[in-house]
Amino acid sequence: MDMDAFTAVHRPQWERLKSLARKRRLGGAEADELLELYQSVSAQLSLIRSVTAESALSAQLSAILAQARTRFTGAKSNIFVDTAQFFVVSLPAAFYRLRWLTVIIGAVFVAVGSLFAIWTAGNPGVLAAMGSDAQLQQLVNHDFVNYYSENPAASFAGAVWTNNAWIAAQCVAFGVTGIFIPYQIFMNAQNVGMTAGVMFAYDRGDVFFSYILPHGLMELSAIFIAAAAGLRIFWSWVSPGPRTRLDSLAREGRSLITVAVGLVLVLFVSGLVEAFVTPSPLPVWAKISIGALVLAAYWVYTLILGRKAVLAGEYGDLSEDDAGASVRSV
């Protein structure tokens, strides 16, 4: 077969197929033409490969056919539309579905932390086990406060953000075990509570709250949200309802992994507050007010946009085409 002559005869078809595949909108006649050209060029590619299995021409035609196939099997979504959909619908819906569990986990954390604080502050034996008087004096008078300013604010914010985002991602990912979340919440409550107990034992409770609350209001809430997502994933296979356990787990996991992505941004904001606001010379009331405003902004976002999305039927899962078909168990 004369490949040059074959190319000269059929190139107009190839160029037309490429043009239609790249066109933003197709009319009915153009869509029919696209399908007809796709079939013709596919046959031509098979003929070329029967003569020369691998060539620059066959690679070129393969690329044109792939583009055309993508065009008629499903147009690519607009990245800006997808981004808006994520932040206006999917993410607030996921947060909204976790609202009560988030509050419950937060209440448990505060209760456990408070008990450890009272136990530590009122028990000299516990204080002695945590360190000598000189060591505890160093902690309450220097180390606790210096922690927030001993490194440049920008690098400190990055380190805090990375660490907290990793903890949140672990809570979502490992929550399926049912063990990881209670352990993490208990250990964090214990650490915060015992630190508070030491600070109160040395009459530095005001310092503790002035440095914890500005960033901690949102930072700890983000951990509670991640924990709630992890527990929901765990419960999806414990009590799957009418679905199979695997399908229920897959659906909840797809929906709530959205939370891990969203919390990266939430924790970025709390990291900025921790690095730039917490150690700043602003009055204590101003620093705590900034932290409270950040937390309030989260709840306004969740309760308004999230409620609207959930009432509209949004679950946070992928579309049926992307997620695949599933069969309910009976």
Side-chain angles (χ1 to χ4, degrees):
M1 182 175 68
D2 188 338
M3 196 62 67
D4 291 334
F6 185 85
T7 301
V9 171
H10 295 289
R11 183 168 293 281
Q13 287 182 300
W14 303 341
E15 294 299 329
R16 177 59 176 166
L17 179 60
K18 182 192 295 186
S19 174
L20 289 173
R22 291 179 174 178
K23 195 169 182 180
R24 184 176 181 84
R25 293 182 180 276
L26 296 175
E30 289 175 324
D32 291 340
E33 185 183 5
L34 175 70
L35 290 174
E36 291 174 1
L37 285 173
Y38 178 84
Q39 293 173 339
S40 297
V41 176
S42 296
Q44 293 160 14
L45 177 60
S46 297
L47 181 59
I48 291 172
R49 284 178 171 170
S50 68
V51 177
T52 55
E54 296 296 335
S55 66
L57 180 59
S58 65
Q60 179 187 4
L61 291 182
S62 295
I64 294 173
L65 288 169
Q67 188 175 21
R69 184 165 55 250
T70 300
R71 186 70 178 84
F72 66 71
T73 56
K76 294 190 295 183
S77 60
N78 186 299
I79 187 172
F80 298 107
V81 173
D82 289 344
T83 301
Q85 173 78 11
F86 177 81
F87 286 107
V88 177
V89 179
S90 300
L91 183 58
F95 284 157
Y96 185 80
R97 290 176 53 227
L98 298 172
R99 64 195 186 283
W100 289 118
L101 190 52
T102 298
V103 172
I104 292 171
I105 292 173
V108 171
F109 180 94
V110 171
V112 173
S114 298
L115 291 174
F116 271 105
I118 295 170
W119 178 62
T120 302
N123 194 328
V126 175
L127 292 171
M130 296 178 67
S132 65
D133 182 67
Q135 290 174 323
L136 296 181
Q137 289 278 4
Q138 176 69 24
L139 169 66
V140 300
N141 293 321
H142 302 284
D143 295 347
F144 182 81
V145 173
N146 291 343
Y147 166 77
Y148 297 98
S149 57
E150 60 186 1
N151 293 307
S155 61
F156 180 61
V160 168
W161 178 34
T162 303
N163 179 68
N164 289 332
W166 173 238
I167 293 174
Q170 285 180 305
C171 286
V172 176
F174 298 143
V176 67
T177 64
I179 299 173
F180 184 83
I181 299 299
Y183 174 77
Q184 281 292 323
I185 293 299
F186 178 82
M187 293 303 297
N188 277 279
Q190 181 188 59
N191 291 336
V192 172
M194 294 185 74
T195 301
V198 173
M199 297 293 288
F200 274 92
Y202 284 83
D203 296 323
R204 301 283 283 173
D206 57 335
V207 175
F208 173 80
F209 284 120
S210 68
Y211 277 82
I212 285 292
L213 290 181
H215 64 275
L217 288 171
M218 188 67 255
E219 182 178 281
L220 289 174
S221 294
I223 301 303
F224 304 154
I225 296 163
L231 289 179
R232 282 293 294 268
I233 294 173
F234 165 71
W235 193 249
S236 69
W237 68 264
V238 172
S239 179
R243 297 176 179 272
T244 65
R245 294 187 189 278
L246 184 60
D247 181 47
S248 177
L249 178 61
R251 184 170 186 254
E252 200 70 59
R254 288 192 304 264
S255 302
L256 295 180
I257 201 65
T258 301
V259 172
V261 178
L263 288 180
V264 170
L265 299 178
V266 172
L267 288 168
F268 175 71
V269 175
S270 69
L272 291 178
V273 174
E274 184 169 359
F276 292 96
V277 176
T278 297
S280 73
L282 289 172
V284 173
W285 67 265
K287 293 192 288 187
I288 294 178
S289 295
I290 291 173
L293 285 174
V294 172
L295 181 62
Y298 163 79
W299 281 110
V300 168
Y301 171 79
T302 296
L303 296 178
I304 294 178
L305 293 182
R307 182 174 184 275
K308 181 179 179 181
V310 170
L311 289 177
E314 177 63 33
Y315 191 80
D317 196 3
L318 299 175
S319 65
E320 291 185 3
D321 289 339
D322 292 331
S326 60
V327 178
R328 292 178 179 270
S329 61
V330 293

